[in-house]
Amino acid sequence: MPQIVESALGALGRKTLSFLKDLHKVSVLINEVFYWTIVSPLKGRPPRVRAAVSEMVKTGYDSVLVVVVIAFFVGAILAFQSAYQLKKFGALLYIANLVGVAITRELGPIITAIIVAGRSGSAFAAEIGSMRAQEEIDALTSMGINPVRFLVVPKLIALMLMQPALTTFFDIVGMLGGFVLSITLLGINPAAYVNQTIIALQVNDLVTGLVKAWAFGVIITITGAYQGLQVNAGAEEVGRRTTASVVMSIFLVIGFDLFFTALFYYFT
Amino acid sequence: MENAVEVSNLVTYYGDRQILKGVSLSIPAGMTTVIVGRSGCGKTTLLKHLIGLIRPTSGTILIHDTDITAEGDQSQLEQYRKKMGVLFQGAALLNSMTLAENVALPLKEHTKLKAPVIDIIVRMKLDLVGLSGFGDFYPAQLSGGMKKRAGIARAMAMDPKILYFDEPSAGLDPVTAAGLDELILRLHRVFKMTVIVVTHELPSIFAIADYVVMLDNGEVVFVGNLDDFKKSEKPIVKAFLERRPEEVSYSPDNYFKIITGT
């Protein structure tokens, strides 16, 4: 019996230590990322603007189509599902409220974040990871080029701008999806629907959604970069870290979403 | 004789495993020094220390009298990195950039030179390693030997005082490897810089070395010039030069312990 207790405590201790070690590494990375994004430009070393623009094209522009199509479907599905309940009460017009508020406050930021985590976060981890595996990161360091400034900061700037932008697209097209479904299949008066949406939506709803989107962009970039930088060698590890980056991003995004939602619920 | 590198009492652990066990050595300036030893003897780890990629557990490294292992102040290490060049084992060119962009990278990051000037320097460096006209190629379009030459061009971009090579002949056919040795000799002759090469290829050692450092099991076992190295009576050096396999002695008792895992 004492042996079982001993090995259980030992395992717990090892897990705790490795968790603390990971936490330390993440903190070091976050510290470095924000130094090179915010402090270093103030000291006269601006970030690589052209690289940031090219990352914006890859993470933002190239994602527009997939975000827009999914947004339209989600808006339509939401309208359908709410109609299923609301028609019992003869309150079909309130679909406009439900779709508008649900998409701008919650579904827009979170589904966009999940799309971007799968599309761009995984690409960050795979790119940085394979560069680690082929000594390219070591080469950068040995040339006196900080890999975080060179690789991570342009990606962070890109996602900090593109995540809210994509979320805005999602919001607009998602509401359009609900609108199109409501006025066609459900036979709601278009003018009444638009009017109802305007009454229901507040600036607050949009702003809280976009603040969340910004934070999700930061989370996805840092998770992808962290997982990529942990690669030591080998293609197999690159694959494993890429998967881990997506799982961890989605987990953290939803965790932080709960936190933000609670925060906004009490303080707005 | 002036020393480019002074290493004293370098100790390194990877986890619980001790890789370098108190290495002390000096590497003379302006010569080609070869760091040799069997696989796993710690020579790549030593190289990573010399180029400032990892920090030792204890000990110091002075490069031209500057301590690059000092805690805290990173500016000396940053300055040093601008004055050295490294050719990594797989050349480590950035795959997303062309050869010209790769060579231009340190110049763009560390100098305020105008783009046309950088273009000229890049063409000069590529010509130096015999890759004129390949500036617009991507690393994936080149052979192993050409990638290494391009890696040398990038390492030479900032006119380094010290040039490091990590196993330059690894993965190359004998003719290409000999060509690379020839290039290393020529660069050394023309630019008079300190060249430090990590390798275990005997033909390469005989072709390029002025000075030899041999490591075994994390310790220095030989330091001296090439002739002394060839004449050395130390069994470990002789075994290396004569390509003799290590004698493995198995006693029945040991073998029993190994297979039962006790």
Side-chain angles (χ1 to χ4, degrees):
Chain A
M1 194 63 189
Q3 259 185 348
I4 297 172
V5 174
E6 196 184 313
S7 67
L9 286 177
L12 186 69
R14 272 190 293 278
K15 281 265 182 238
T16 313
L17 280 180
S18 88
F19 174 74
L20 288 178
K21 221 171 166 181
D22 281 345
L23 202 66
H24 174 250
K25 284 188 203 156
V26 174
S27 329
V28 170
L29 178 67
I30 292 174
N31 186 22
E32 223 178 316
V33 166
F34 282 96
Y35 173 82
W36 289 109
T37 316
I38 298 163
V39 183
S40 141
L42 297 177
K43 289 183 176 174
R45 279 207 77 179
R48 300 168 63 231
V49 177
R50 288 179 61 152
V53 171
S54 121
E55 291 293 343
M56 278 182 217
V57 173
K58 276 192 270 180
T59 56
Y61 179 78
D62 292 351
S63 312
V64 169
L65 187 66
V66 62
V67 166
V68 159
V69 171
I70 291 178
F72 191 87
F73 288 170
V74 168
I77 293 167
L78 203 59
F80 252 138
Q81 295 286 25
S82 27
Y84 174 67
Q85 287 290 323
L86 289 173
K87 74 177 174 205
K88 291 179 192 163
F89 307 100
L92 271 187
L93 190 57
Y94 285 96
I95 291 174
N97 300 43
L98 211 144
V99 169
V101 173
I103 284 188
T104 52
R105 283 188 77 100
E106 189 55 54
L107 291 175
I110 199 116
I111 296 180
T112 313
I114 290 171
I115 297 169
V116 171
R119 226 187 140 271
S120 306
S122 61
F124 294 169
E127 181 191 334
I128 296 176
S130 61
M131 286 181 78
R132 278 273 319 171
Q134 293 178 32
E135 291 184 312
E136 289 177 39
I137 304 276
D138 283 349
L140 283 174
T141 312
S142 76
M143 284 188 277
I145 299 171
N146 186 298
V148 170
R149 182 182 114 83
F150 192 81
L151 292 169
V152 184
V153 171
K155 293 176 174 33
L156 182 73
I157 294 173
L159 269 202
M160 284 202 294
L161 295 172
M162 285 303 114
Q163 192 72 35
L166 288 172
T167 304
T168 310
F169 270 105
F170 192 106
D171 290 351
I172 294 168
V173 179
M175 284 191 277
L176 186 73
F179 173 75
V180 169
L181 191 106
S182 303
I183 61 168
T184 52
L185 294 182
L186 303 176
I188 299 173
N189 181 295
Y193 188 98
V194 172
N195 206 22
Q196 189 68 21
T197 304
I198 292 169
I199 293 168
L201 269 192
Q202 291 174 350
V203 180
N204 234 338
D205 299 328
L206 288 169
V207 172
T208 53
L210 293 182
V211 170
K212 281 204 276 195
W214 179 86
F216 294 162
V218 175
I219 291 170
I220 293 167
T221 318
I222 289 184
T223 311
Y226 171 73
Q227 292 290 353
L229 287 170
Q230 291 312 301
V231 170
N232 281 313
E236 185 262 339
E237 204 187 351
V238 176
R240 208 157 42 79
R241 290 287 180 182
T242 307
T243 311
S245 89
V246 177
V247 174
M248 205 168 133
S249 303
I250 293 178
F251 181 80
L252 287 175
V253 159
I254 292 178
F256 271 86
D257 190 26
L258 178 63
F259 171 74
F260 280 120
T261 309
L263 206 70
F264 292 138
Y265 180 79
Y266 288 109
F267 293 103
T268 56
Chain B
M1 192 169 57
E2 193 202 341
N3 285 329
V5 178
E6 299 252 14
V7 178
S8 49
N9 269 321
L10 204 64
V11 177
T12 309
Y13 284 88
Y14 281 162
D16 293 333
R17 210 152 57 91
Q18 194 176 19
I19 308 292
L20 297 179
K21 303 167 181 170
V23 169
S24 298
L25 54 92
S26 320
I27 293 177
M31 281 196 185
T32 302
T33 300
V34 177
I35 301 173
V36 303
R38 293 165 29 199
S39 304
C41 68
K43 56 187 192 298
T44 300
T45 306
L46 178 61
L47 181 82
K48 284 188 176 169
H49 279 300
L50 294 180
I51 60 181
L53 279 185
I54 47 177
R55 274 181 185 286
T57 312
S58 66
T60 55
I61 301 169
L62 299 183
I63 310 268
H64 289 293
D65 299 324
T66 315
D67 186 0
I68 61 159
T69 50
E71 284 281 341
D73 188 14
Q74 292 280 304
S75 61
Q76 282 184 332
L77 187 58
E78 290 300 313
Q79 283 307 314
Y80 163 56
R81 281 176 175 151
K82 291 176 196 169
K83 287 186 215 140
M84 62 147 196
V86 187
L87 173 67
F88 285 87
Q89 209 176 104
L93 297 166
L94 301 188
N95 280 314
S96 55
M97 295 181 170
T98 64
L99 288 198
E101 286 167 341
N102 263 289
V103 179
L105 187 60
L107 295 164
K108 278 189 188 153
E109 290 287 320
H110 297 312
T111 67
K112 292 200 162 68
L113 295 173
K114 294 251 178 333
V117 182
I118 290 184
D119 285 348
I120 291 172
I121 298 178
V122 167
R123 275 187 227 114
M124 277 164 60
K125 301 293 174 188
L126 284 174
D127 182 53
L128 201 65
V129 297
L131 285 177
S132 292
F134 284 94
D136 292 333
F137 282 62
Y138 282 89
Q141 297 169 295
L142 301 180
S143 69
M146 287 161 96
K147 271 189 215 172
K148 295 214 174 180
R149 283 170 181 270
I152 296 176
R154 186 179 67 182
M156 295 282 296
M158 298 280 288
D159 296 325
K161 284 193 177 146
I162 306 181
L163 197 52
Y164 294 93
F165 294 86
D166 186 9
E167 314 229 356
S169 0
L172 298 183
D173 66 88
V175 178
T176 312
L180 211 61
D181 287 345
E182 196 54 45
L183 178 63
I184 295 173
L185 276 176
R186 191 158 56 86
L187 291 176
H188 179 240
R189 209 166 44 231
V190 175
F191 294 96
K192 308 265 183 280
M193 56 202 162
T194 309
V195 176
I196 298 173
V197 184
V198 167
T199 185
H200 52 235
E201 305 270 335
L202 290 172
S204 198
I205 298 167
F206 295 142
I208 59 177
D210 299 321
Y211 200 76
V212 180
V213 174
M214 183 167 176
L215 295 182
D216 190 67
N217 209 3
E219 289 172 84
V220 178
V221 291
F222 178 88
V223 181
N225 59 36
L226 182 62
D227 288 335
D228 294 343
F229 185 62
K230 284 184 193 163
K231 282 185 239 154
S232 173
E233 288 297 320
K234 284 187 183 169
I236 206 152
V237 177
K238 286 187 95 163
F240 184 82
L241 288 173
E242 291 163 14
R243 303 187 70 216
R244 264 204 321 250
E246 192 178 24
E247 283 165 22
V248 186
S249 57
Y250 262 132
S251 71
D253 282 350
N254 278 343
Y255 189 66
F256 183 74
K257 276 184 189 161
I258 288 168
I259 60 171
T260 53
T262 49

